[in-house]
Amino acid sequence: MLLGNEMANHEANWLLPFQKICEKRNLEYTIGQGNQNQLAILPNLPSVQFGDLRVRSGNETHVVEIENGGGVTNLAKYWAALAPINVCEHIERVVLTHVYNRAYGYQSHHAIWNFLYSKMDVWPRFEAHLYVVAYEELDIVARLFAERIPINQQ
């Protein structure tokens, strides 16, 4: 398990192929945990990070979440944010590219992710894609991410 700066460096390295493809396609993107990248889920609760990398295109927001370990929080937060009772009515549609590092091998987390996604009742406002990959495969996932962003709405 990665801790502190190791985790931040790991995430930054894993985001590089996504940043490069956004720059190549002249897509503006947001990264990091600053105020400009926050998502309010429910009233009176702290906001959460709105993706490790985020691109707005037309009425869609395309998000990349990088997992250093296991868990499904980065999937579940979009369920809460896009549920009919939430405070995120201004978000029309989110397309999530959720990337897990194959080296950690939390297969049970991936099974829970698939189960949870099948139960989420936020379609058509939400679409998610799970990838369990090695670092060397990130360019492929970054291309798939970019292909989902309509060219005429960038």
Side-chain angles (χ1 to χ4, degrees):
M1 181 81 47
L2 301 174
L3 300 173
N5 288 340
E6 289 177 342
M7 190 175 339
N9 290 337
H10 177 269
E11 184 177 287
N13 287 337
W14 278 61
L15 285 173
L16 282 175
F18 297 93
Q19 290 174 274
K20 287 179 183 175
I21 207 155
C22 286
E23 290 164 3
K24 182 178 177 183
R25 292 188 58 192
N26 294 318
L27 298 170
E28 288 186 32
Y29 62 90
T30 303
I31 60 172
Q33 297 181 357
N35 289 336
Q36 78 284 0
N37 197 25
Q38 296 295 307
L39 177 65
I41 294 181
L42 295 169
N44 303 317
L45 290 179
S47 297
V48 296
Q49 183 179 0
F50 195 180
D52 293 318
L53 182 143
R54 179 168 45 93
V55 174
R56 181 90 173 130
S57 175
N59 68 343
E60 296 181 339
T61 302
H62 295 261
V63 176
V64 176
E65 295 279 8
I66 302 292
E67 296 295 344
N68 296 316
V72 294
T73 303
N74 281 327
L75 174 66
K77 71 183 176 187
Y78 295 103
W79 188 3
L82 296 170
I85 61 166
N86 74 10
V87 295
C88 296
E89 300 279 327
H90 64 283
I91 299 171
E92 295 182 41
R93 180 166 157 75
V94 172
V95 181
L96 172 64
T97 299
H98 205 164
V99 183
Y100 284 80
N101 184 341
R102 182 182 299 143
Y104 295 107
Y106 293 108
Q107 292 179 348
S108 60
H109 293 270
H110 310 150
I112 293 168
W113 190 99
N114 284 312
F115 173 79
L116 180 62
Y117 183 52
S118 74
K119 302 299 180 190
M120 292 171 68
D121 59 353
V122 290
W123 182 262
R125 293 183 68 204
F126 183 71
E127 175 184 333
H129 304 272
L130 171 65
Y131 298 95
V132 182
V133 297
Y135 181 80
E136 297 76 26
E137 299 167 303
L138 282 174
D139 286 335
I140 296 166
V141 178
R143 282 195 303 273
L144 293 170
F145 163 76
E147 287 173 5
R148 289 189 195 94
I149 303 171
I151 293 173
N152 61 348
Q153 295 184 6
Q154 296 176 11

